[in-house]
Amino acid sequence: MSTELFFVQLINGLQYGLLLFLIASGLTLVFGVMGILNLAHGSMYMVGAYLVWYFVAVTGSFTVSAILSAVIALGLGIVIERVLIQRLYNRNHLDQVLLTIGMIFVFNSLQSILWGNDPYGVAVPDALSGSVPFTDNSSYPVYRIFAAFICIAIAAALYFVVSKTRLGMLIRAGESNREMVEALGVNIKSLYTIVFAIGVMLAAVSGIIAAPMRSIVPGMGESVLITCFVVVVIGGMGSIKGAFVGALLVGVISTFAAVLMPTMSNMIIYIFMILVLLVKPQGLFAK
Amino acid sequence: MNKTKSLASAVLATTLTAGMSLGAHAAAGDPVKIGVMLPFSGIYAQLGEAGRDGLKLALKENAANLHGADIEFIELDTEAKPSRAPELASSLLNQHEADFIIGPVHSGVAMGMIKMLRGKDTVMIIPNAGAAAATGPLCSPNMFRTSFSSWQPSYPMGKVALEKGYKKVYAISWNYGMGRESLDAFEESFTAGGGEIVEKVLLPFPSTNFQSHVSSIADTNPDAVFTFFAGGGAIKFVKDYDAMGLRGKIPLLGSGFLTEGTLKAQGEAAEGVMTGLHYAEQLDVPKNREFREAFNTEYGHYPDIYAVQGYDAGQAIANTIDQLKGDISDKQAVISTMEKLTIDSPRGEFTFSKAHNPIQNVYLREVKDGVNVVQSIAAEALEDPARGCKL
């Protein structure tokens, strides 16, 4: 591999990793704060992609569609938390797993009923459809650079909210001692609703951003869910910093694996995960 | 997801009797039973429905030629799950005593069906699955195919590439039957004519993380790229290829499924992609125009290639019944009649090879303004080599 190709692939890997972080951030946030393992997280990614596809077809504007879809996802998160998740805080993980697996089936069937089983695609918005010269005979699409920056911006915003704001303080307090926070007069119930809804919205926003780069197909949620779990487990369950580092590692490693040993590429990130867990059984940044 | 549903659908095998007998003379005996094993749920549901609709249209159009035979359809949902195939095929064979079994879409399911039906009296007609083995090592007198073998759409593309002056080609696909067989078929004709495969990449199915491979293609700088992907993977690959700036610089060639049912989602990124296939929606054949209008009148939308293949399976059955004057009790006669048929297909006329695969034209198509436009006949009356078939 030439040095030039090495850097090209490194950029591909980082770009993929940033998107993975965005998807995984909601999963790890919800688990870290609420102790809920949301297996339907991938379905929320799918919902985001399908919603934006649907609204682009109706309105013709990607920006309007993206905002509409994100708001709907936030609302969906609130409803799911209030109607379903709330009942499970005092139950064990198995019950949570059963409920959220059930939600995967429900969302897949809804997708099939509402939008059918054809594969769809969303066009890149006109303003971002250009590309910048890259190597001799390839260029880099502006939209993918933009997507990477959106991911970085959201990562920074998450960091700021969790570490510098009152909401973040409550989130961190709720993580370490739920009863004490409640005793101090904080409405932990609505705090949990907000956190869960943000988690859902983060997954949907990743689906929205990914939509113009990927194909929108049935089952797209499950395929990202597994990669997401690898990212979160490597980084340490519940750690946002861990998810960031884990996502970049997985992105870069799987990109190089795909090029250097294509037939085995799917295996490599799992082997990497096993190695990490052997050395650090709780993940890189476990709490 | 479909575990509960699979039980239910097996039990609820919808038996639909289409009132096709012509009042004049009542059917001689039992109705002709056509077992339909297609996916009506899951990712291939659309393909299964199209195939069934085509099949029924053909039998409806030919109702007057059936010599009073009643047609009874028994529909089973395969869900495109290979594990359920033997059980469903066995129920059609033993319980329903079907005279003809149509299916499936998915090559894995085909293998399961073949296990049960190979060498039996009941005639099996495959309306899609391209697995080489079905008309290769596992061929059987009672098994027919109205679609294609995986070899057929790709083999002519090797010659096409040479004619266009491409010497070095980068080949990429998924590492499973159809993917490997497509690349091998291309390589066979391309290297025989002096071409060189500079890189052959097989990715795990159904991975769609293509961007890094597109970067590698740019770095390798071949004369052209040949590929097989379908469905969501086809959309993603074509979009990545365009996004990284390779479209218009390095020509993209493929097996026809790269641009079937995906053009709308691929949008401008698909412009200029060249593929080989035994059909094109705009194919200028009178039968095709006729069929497209008839299908649209019946179902309210225009047919795709899967509907064509189902329609031809229906034509094969109807023509056989017609030639035997409605008496299909002698299964040897059914087989020897069917294998001599010339099917007046929307793709152009075709006959069956010794291995019972269509001998058909493969067209070179190029995407222009969102349509697969036929450029030329890439191979005329192309017969699958049927390697390993003893028929």
Side-chain angles (χ1 to χ4, degrees):
Chain A
M1 190 181 284
S2 64
T3 333
E4 185 191 68
L5 187 59
F6 175 83
F7 280 107
V8 169
Q9 300 297 16
L10 188 64
I11 291 170
N12 284 334
L14 289 174
Q15 185 224 315
Y16 177 48
L18 284 167
L19 185 66
L20 277 181
F21 164 72
L22 192 55
I23 310 171
S25 61
L27 184 71
T28 202
L29 177 74
V30 169
F31 183 82
V33 177
M34 303 159 59
I36 291 272
L37 193 56
N38 181 14
L39 289 175
H41 193 73
S43 303
M44 302 301 133
Y45 166 83
M46 173 191 80
V47 166
Y50 270 95
L51 279 177
V52 81
W53 165 77
Y54 175 75
F55 285 124
V56 164
V58 173
T59 67
S61 156
F62 186 81
T63 319
V64 171
S65 308
I67 293 168
L68 265 176
S69 309
V71 170
I72 291 177
L74 190 68
L76 187 65
I78 293 173
V79 172
I80 292 174
E81 200 275 343
R82 281 283 151 104
V83 177
L84 299 170
I85 305 290
Q86 215 168 65
R87 298 162 201 280
L88 293 185
Y89 291 135
N90 300 321
R91 307 271 281 270
N92 59 30
H93 278 310
L94 181 63
D95 290 352
Q96 299 170 358
V97 164
L98 282 175
L99 173 77
T100 50
I101 283 190
M103 282 163 55
I104 296 181
F105 297 147
V106 170
F107 279 104
N108 279 348
S109 297
L110 281 177
Q111 163 263 311
S112 176
I113 293 166
L114 289 174
W115 295 304
N117 297 317
D118 275 349
Y120 300 118
V122 172
V124 172
D126 284 341
L128 300 167
S129 65
S131 55
V132 290
F134 195 39
T135 61
D136 289 346
N137 55 359
S138 76
S139 48
Y140 216 85
V142 170
Y143 183 81
R144 292 183 190 202
I145 299 169
F146 164 80
F149 277 104
I150 291 277
C151 294
I152 293 172
I154 292 177
L158 263 179
Y159 174 79
F160 177 78
V161 168
V162 172
S163 60
K164 304 277 187 232
T165 65
R166 188 179 158 77
L167 176 66
M169 199 176 70
L170 290 174
I171 288 174
R172 280 177 289 137
E175 272 176 57
S176 38
N177 195 331
R178 186 190 159 141
E179 284 76 18
M180 184 56 81
V181 178
E182 237 173 344
L184 290 171
V186 175
N187 186 346
I188 198 102
K189 252 181 135 178
S190 35
L191 179 71
Y192 275 19
T193 308
I194 293 168
V195 170
F196 188 84
I198 290 175
V200 166
M201 190 168 78
L202 284 171
V205 166
S206 347
I208 294 165
I209 291 175
M213 302 186 275
R214 308 195 142 234
S215 41
I216 299 163
V217 288
M220 64 187 289
E222 285 93 284
S223 56
V224 299
L225 179 72
I226 296 169
T227 319
C228 242
F229 268 108
V230 174
V231 164
V232 169
V233 166
I234 289 174
M237 296 286 292
S239 160
I240 291 182
K241 188 162 74 176
F244 189 77
V245 175
L248 292 187
L249 283 172
V250 168
V252 170
I253 290 172
S254 65
T255 297
F256 278 98
V259 179
L260 297 174
M261 39 188 137
T263 37
M264 282 175 60
S265 57
N266 277 12
M267 224 191 291
I268 302 297
I269 57 166
Y270 301 108
I271 294 174
F272 176 66
M273 178 177 79
I274 293 169
L275 292 179
V276 168
L277 293 184
L278 281 176
V279 182
K280 290 203 132 197
Q282 301 294 314
L284 294 173
F285 294 89
K287 309 212 158 179
Chain B
M1 174 181 91
N2 291 320
K3 270 194 188 133
T4 45
K5 219 164 65 187
S6 36
L7 253 181
S9 63
V11 180
L12 279 175
T14 41
T15 308
L16 305 166
T17 312
M20 282 178 181
S21 103
L22 297 173
H25 40 189
D30 294 333
V32 175
K33 288 185 178 173
I34 302 181
V36 182
M37 261 184 77
L38 292 170
F40 300 118
S41 63
I43 53 164
Y44 285 143
Q46 226 91 18
L47 283 57
E49 281 159 23
R52 175 195 55 196
D53 290 350
L55 172 77
K56 289 195 168 170
L57 179 64
L59 286 156
K60 193 177 170 190
E61 284 180 351
N62 283 292
N65 308 325
L66 299 179
H67 299 271
D70 267 326
I71 303 286
E72 182 183 329
F73 291 103
I74 304 138
E75 294 179 19
L76 298 184
D77 181 4
T78 64
E79 298 165 39
K81 284 185 182 157
S83 56
R84 298 191 3 93
E87 169 204 337
L88 294 180
S90 147
S91 113
L92 285 177
L93 185 70
N94 302 318
Q95 188 189 337
H96 297 283
E97 296 177 330
D99 299 295
F100 299 94
I101 296 178
I102 312 299
V105 162
H106 184 280
S107 283
V109 176
M111 290 304 155
M113 287 176 72
I114 289 168
K115 214 189 284 174
M116 288 308 303
L117 301 177
R118 195 163 179 251
K120 299 285 193 301
D121 282 341
T122 296
V123 169
M124 169 179 174
I125 306 178
I126 303 174
N128 189 59
T135 53
L138 295 179
C139 71
S140 164
N142 69 323
M143 283 166 20
F144 289 79
R145 179 146 61 188
T146 56
S147 49
F148 59 93
S149 71
S150 52
W151 182 90
Q152 278 179 315
S154 293
Y155 180 79
M157 293 306 285
K159 272 189 212 133
V160 168
L162 291 167
E163 278 162 18
K164 299 217 176 261
Y166 310 144
K167 295 269 177 278
K168 291 173 185 233
V169 165
Y170 190 108
I172 180 167
S173 185
W174 279 314
N175 190 15
Y176 78 130
M178 184 74 191
R180 278 194 307 268
E181 288 167 13
S182 298
L183 294 197
D184 288 349
F186 174 83
E187 190 176 359
E188 187 185 333
S189 62
F190 186 61
T191 51
E196 185 197 347
I197 302 284
V198 283
E199 187 103 50
K200 187 171 174 181
V201 178
L202 289 165
L203 310 176
F205 178 79
S207 152
T208 59
N209 207 354
F210 297 136
Q211 192 171 324
S212 51
H213 297 285
V214 174
S215 293
S216 295
I217 292 171
D219 189 66
T220 311
N221 199 15
D223 297 335
V225 173
F226 180 82
T227 180
F228 167 84
F229 290 111
I235 297 172
K236 177 78 162 54
F237 187 83
V238 167
K239 282 187 132 184
D240 278 354
Y241 199 82
D242 173 54
M244 303 300 285
L246 265 61
R247 177 167 71 94
K249 288 199 188 110
I250 303 174
L252 180 58
L253 279 60
S255 171
F257 300 93
L258 190 64
T259 55
E260 278 302 306
T262 56
L263 281 174
K264 216 176 145 204
Q266 286 160 338
E268 213 195 319
E271 292 295 307
V273 174
M274 287 176 284
T275 58
L277 200 66
H278 51 288
Y279 182 65
E281 289 180 4
Q282 306 305 325
L283 192 63
D284 194 16
V285 174
K287 178 74 185 175
N288 188 37
R289 288 193 291 270
E290 206 179 285
F291 165 70
R292 291 182 67 75
E293 289 314 319
F295 192 95
N296 185 37
T297 311
E298 183 79 18
Y299 301 109
H301 61 94
Y302 283 95
D304 55 14
I305 185 170
Y306 308 104
V308 171
Q309 293 167 169
Y311 180 77
D312 290 341
Q315 290 205 87
I317 293 175
N319 295 355
T320 303
I321 295 176
D322 185 19
Q323 292 196 9
L324 291 171
K325 310 237 178 309
D327 176 17
I328 55 157
S329 50
D330 179 357
K331 298 301 176 192
Q332 287 314 312
V334 171
I335 290 171
S336 57
T337 306
M338 192 175 278
E339 64 188 2
K340 289 190 203 81
L341 291 176
T342 299
I343 306 283
D344 184 16
S345 167
R347 74 189 91 167
E349 285 191 350
F350 74 82
T351 54
F352 289 108
S353 68
K354 270 189 190 156
H356 296 171
N357 195 66
I359 301 178
Q360 57 192 344
N361 292 346
V362 170
Y363 304 97
L364 171 65
R365 304 124 25 107
E366 183 173 343
V367 180
K368 283 183 182 160
D369 299 322
V371 175
N372 284 304
V373 179
V374 176
Q375 301 293 301
S376 62
I377 298 176
E380 205 165 337
L382 184 68
E383 181 176 351
D384 179 87
R387 293 178 184 116
C389 176
K390 303 244 158 52
L391 282 179

